[in-house]
Amino acid sequence: MGTATMQPDGVLTGSVQTGDNYTVYFAARFNAAYTAATLDGDALAEGVEVQGEGLGVLLTFAGLNGPLLSKVGISYVDAAGALRNLDAEIPGWDFDAVVAQHKQQWNEALGRIEVEGGSEAQRQSFYTALARTQQFPNLISDVDGRYPGPDDQIHQSERPHYTQFSLWDSYRGQNQVLAEIVPEQYRDMLNSLLDFYRQSGRLPRWQQAQRDASHMSGDPAILFIGDGWC
C-alpha cells in the first residue's frame, strides 16, 4: 500500500508499506513548481492524500529553466519526521557542496584503515569492501530521536538507533571490523539490539526496520554482542 500527498508548500509526502509489515515514510522537495497526478491520470489536489496498491505518481515540471534538483528524506516514524530529517541533513540547494561534503565523509570513513603495498586493483578491492562494510546497519531513529519499536510503539532515544542487522551474514567478519574502527557506533548498535530485546522479549535473528524477519537460524545476535564485549 502506498500513499502520497502534495502539500501546499510544494513538498511531496507519502509512505510505502512493505510486505514485511513495516512502513517507510518519505518527504521530497524540488527546486521548481510542478503538477502531480497518479499513473491513472487523476490529478493530486493540495493537501488531499491519495492511496492504493502499487500507487505511482507522475510529476510534471512545466517551464523548467536549468537543472531539476530534488531532495528526499525518509523516516520509519511518520512523514513529518521524514521532512525534519531531510531539512536537517540537506538544508540548502548547493549540489556541488553536498557532493563535496559526502566525498569528505567517505574519505574519512575509508581512511580509518590505511593499507600499503599490493597492486592498485587490490587496494581498490580492499577499499570497496571497506565501504560496503560501513553501509550497514542503518539508522532507524529520526533526528529528534524517535524510532519505532517491535512493540509497535514510538520510542525516544538520546543515542542513534540502528536496524538492518543481517546478523547471520555479518558475524564472520563485519562485526569485528565495525567494533574496531567505529567503536562508539558499534556501542550504539549493541544498545539498539538490547532495546529490541527489552521491547519484544527476544533478540532478533535478522532485523529489518522494527521487525525481526527471522531469516536463517541460530542465535547470531549473541556473537554480535560478544564481539563488542571482546
Side-chain angles (χ1 to χ4, degrees):
M1 173 68 72
T3 68
T5 306
M6 185 174 62
Q7 304 295 342
D9 61 357
V11 175
L12 183 67
T13 61
S15 64
V16 177
Q17 187 175 33
T18 73
D20 293 307
N21 197 27
Y22 64 88
T23 302
V24 181
Y25 300 89
F26 70 88
R29 289 189 185 277
F30 306 92
N31 69 332
Y34 66 91
T35 58
T38 68
L39 298 182
D40 294 329
D42 298 325
L44 270 66
E46 290 185 356
V48 178
E49 181 184 82
V50 295
Q51 57 180 286
E53 294 290 343
L55 176 68
V57 176
L58 179 65
L59 307 184
T60 301
F61 297 87
L64 181 66
N65 293 318
L68 172 63
L69 299 180
S70 66
K71 303 185 292 185
V72 181
I74 67 169
S75 168
Y76 293 91
V77 177
D78 52 30
L83 185 57
R84 277 191 292 269
N85 294 339
L86 169 61
D87 290 340
E89 294 173 2
I90 310 179
W93 287 100
D94 190 333
F95 183 86
D96 292 335
V98 173
V99 172
Q101 175 189 356
H102 285 79
K103 184 176 182 178
Q104 178 183 354
Q105 290 174 332
W106 269 114
N107 281 335
E108 293 174 356
L110 297 178
R112 294 182 175 119
I113 298 179
E114 182 176 346
V115 298
E116 298 178 353
S119 66
E120 181 178 354
Q122 288 172 326
R123 292 192 298 273
Q124 183 179 19
S125 177
F126 173 83
Y127 282 111
T128 299
L130 185 60
R132 290 172 175 166
T133 296
Q134 297 181 72
Q135 289 178 336
F136 296 93
N138 303 139
L139 281 174
I140 192 174
S141 54
D142 287 353
V143 292
D144 61 4
R146 297 183 304 155
Y147 71 94
D151 55 359
D152 291 324
Q153 301 298 312
I154 302 301
H155 299 270
Q156 190 84 29
S157 177
E158 294 182 355
R159 61 175 179 270
H161 221 78
Y162 288 86
T163 185
Q164 320 305 23
F165 291 100
S166 62
L167 299 164
W168 196 87
D169 303 298
S170 66
Y171 73 87
R172 299 174 182 85
Q174 184 197 22
N175 291 4
Q176 296 84 352
V177 172
L178 292 178
E180 184 69 28
I181 67 175
V182 286
E184 293 183 357
Q185 291 181 30
Y186 199 84
R187 175 201 61 198
D188 292 335
M189 295 171 191
L190 292 178
N191 279 302
S192 299
L193 284 172
L194 294 177
D195 282 339
F196 190 100
Y197 166 77
R198 296 184 185 102
Q199 295 159 12
S200 70
R202 64 185 179 90
L203 290 165
R205 286 210 306 263
W206 211 113
Q207 185 182 346
Q208 293 177 308
Q210 71 267 36
R211 304 300 181 197
D212 179 16
S214 291
H215 299 319
M216 307 304 180
S217 58
D219 203 5
I222 297 300
L223 304 177
F224 193 102
I225 296 170
D227 284 329
W229 178 263
C230 291

